[in-house]
Amino acid sequence: MPLVPLQADVLGPDFRVETISLPPDPEGPVVATLVTLEPERPNGRAVLHVHGFADYFFHTEYARWWADRGYAFYALDLRKYGRSLRDHQTPHYVADLAEYFAEIDLTWWRITQRDGHREVIASGHSTGGLTVPLWVQERRPAELRAMVLNSPWFDMQGAAWLRSPATRLAIERLGTSRPMQEIPRRISDVYGRSLHREHGGEWDYDLTWKPLESRPVYVGWLRAVRRGHALLHAGLDIDSPTLVLSSARSFFGEQTEETAATHDIVLDVEQIRRWASSVGRHVTSIAIEGAIHDVVLSRPPVRTQAYDVLGRWLEAWVDERGQPTG
């Protein structure tokens, strides 16, 4: 258990929160934030979840699903996101995804050394689904039992020219010379509206932490992501069982309420499935019909299917009865 008492989180008294101080960067002081939900009947294991771009942790149903199975659930709001964002900071900006390794390191220490969990499942969504396996590849934590990647961002979606060598070179050069240059793009609020309770969705979350219109994208940050993609595409060597969840379909045309609620309108799911095997030697990739980008925020029947898939995979490959065959 934690050595110091934790404070109640905005999600309610069952969720506890602590601030993790990090070394300052050129913008000033930096922190990350760790949210914890303890199970009523612990099994000695834990989950660490990392969110995606323009996001933060508010997924109480996902946390309780794990806690109901005895897992202590930890969710990390990375630097410059959500609970960790400070007024002097550029939201979400880092020049290298490895900058996040500092807060993941300190969180992993809290989970395994301070709180005594000897087996941990790492969970990541979208950009977090790219960052988590890169961290695992670099750190090789002995306590890692498995990974769950929810619509991980494995490649640059869109027209083929966006993935061309010329575009990669341009991003690399501009990211070095003008890292804070904003990339012009049309930002739609369709996805956000499909989620938020005040706009026809199911979920209640802080729109200052997760805006309907997403966030600006800067060349230096995109360079960091593309470097991460390149590392993944070269092939990681993670032998822990990994589940990759995605929607069955993407849709990038003129959006309606129905397409936004039944497709991934953020990432290309064919790219997710194409690159899933690059994570390591023991990957299960499942496409969920009718799921959205954040699979665990889909409509209730779809979420039921996703949790059924997660439960079967957990029993087969993570519980004592199932052992990875490598």
Side-chain angles (χ1 to χ4, degrees):
M1 296 298 296
L3 299 176
V4 295
L6 306 182
Q7 302 299 311
D9 185 56
V10 294
L11 296 176
D14 291 346
F15 291 86
R16 314 299 285 179
V17 65
E18 60 183 302
T19 300
I20 301 173
S21 296
L22 299 165
D25 72 1
E27 292 187 325
V30 178
V31 300
T33 311
L34 185 61
V35 180
T36 305
L37 176 66
E38 293 289 345
E40 290 185 5
R41 294 179 295 277
N43 64 12
R45 291 175 172 172
V47 173
L48 170 60
H49 178 71
V50 179
H51 58 80
F53 172 69
D55 209 350
Y56 77 102
F57 174 70
F58 61 91
H59 303 61
T60 55
E61 183 181 83
Y62 184 61
R64 294 189 192 284
W65 188 91
W66 286 103
D68 287 346
R69 285 150 185 81
Y71 288 78
F73 186 89
Y74 298 79
L76 183 62
D77 275 13
L78 299 168
R79 65 184 69 197
K80 305 184 183 184
Y81 282 100
R83 300 164 180 82
S84 306
L85 180 61
R86 299 297 184 260
D87 290 341
H88 62 274
Q89 294 175 330
T90 304
H92 79 257
Y93 185 82
V94 291
D96 190 328
L97 295 182
E99 291 182 40
Y100 296 132
F101 291 4
E103 50 257 53
I104 301 176
D105 288 343
L106 291 170
T107 297
W108 200 266
W109 178 89
R110 283 164 167 77
I111 295 171
T112 60
Q113 301 303 311
R114 185 190 70 181
D115 298 350
H117 299 291
R118 291 293 173 257
E119 293 188 359
V120 184
I121 295 175
S123 166
H125 167 58
S126 200
T127 314
L130 173 64
T131 303
V132 165
L134 294 177
W135 177 84
V136 169
Q137 174 76 14
E138 180 71 22
R139 296 295 194 254
R140 305 283 179 169
E143 302 87 357
L144 181 72
R145 188 74 175 88
M147 290 194 300
V148 177
L149 307 179
N150 168 5
S151 300
W153 191 12
F154 282 168
D155 204 353
M156 178 71 76
Q157 66 276 22
W161 67 266
L162 293 169
R163 296 178 295 280
S164 69
T167 300
R168 286 197 295 270
L169 181 60
I171 292 171
E172 186 67 31
R173 288 178 173 174
L174 279 174
T176 301
S177 61
R178 288 181 282 176
M180 300 306 296
Q181 178 175 317
E182 186 175 341
I183 298 175
R185 63 184 186 128
R186 178 176 172 267
I187 302 177
S188 171
D189 63 0
V190 172
Y191 181 60
R193 288 180 173 275
S194 73
L195 296 178
H196 200 275
R197 183 174 297 170
E198 294 179 0
H199 301 276
E202 183 180 349
W203 308 99
D204 186 19
Y205 54 85
D206 190 327
L207 291 175
T208 63
W209 289 348
K210 181 179 172 64
L212 292 178
E213 300 84 6
S214 186
R215 295 278 193 190
V217 169
Y218 304 97
V219 183
W221 178 84
L222 186 59
R223 178 189 61 172
V225 171
R226 292 303 283 157
R227 287 178 171 180
H229 288 158
L231 291 171
L232 175 80
H233 295 174
L236 308 182
D237 185 28
I238 298 170
D239 58 8
S240 301
T242 298
L243 175 65
V244 176
L245 293 173
S246 69
S247 176
R249 296 176 180 81
S250 294
F251 186 83
F252 298 117
E254 190 66 29
Q255 297 295 337
T256 66
E257 180 179 338
E258 186 63 19
T259 58
T262 56
H263 295 72
D264 189 328
I265 65 173
V266 178
L267 296 182
D268 186 336
V269 298
E270 296 298 330
Q271 292 176 336
I272 294 173
R273 291 193 278 276
R274 174 187 177 187
W275 293 110
S277 62
S278 296
V279 171
R281 290 175 271 167
H282 194 274
V283 178
T284 303
S285 180
I286 303 292
I288 306 295
E289 188 68 43
I292 62 172
H293 176 55
D294 195 335
V295 173
V296 299
L297 300 183
S298 302
R299 288 172 171 172
V302 178
R303 297 205 304 275
T304 297
Q305 181 185 354
Y307 283 123
D308 285 346
V309 167
L310 180 54
R312 290 195 299 271
W313 171 83
L314 195 68
E315 181 177 349
W317 296 114
V318 182
D319 289 346
E320 284 78 2
R321 286 169 289 177
Q323 295 294 330
T325 58

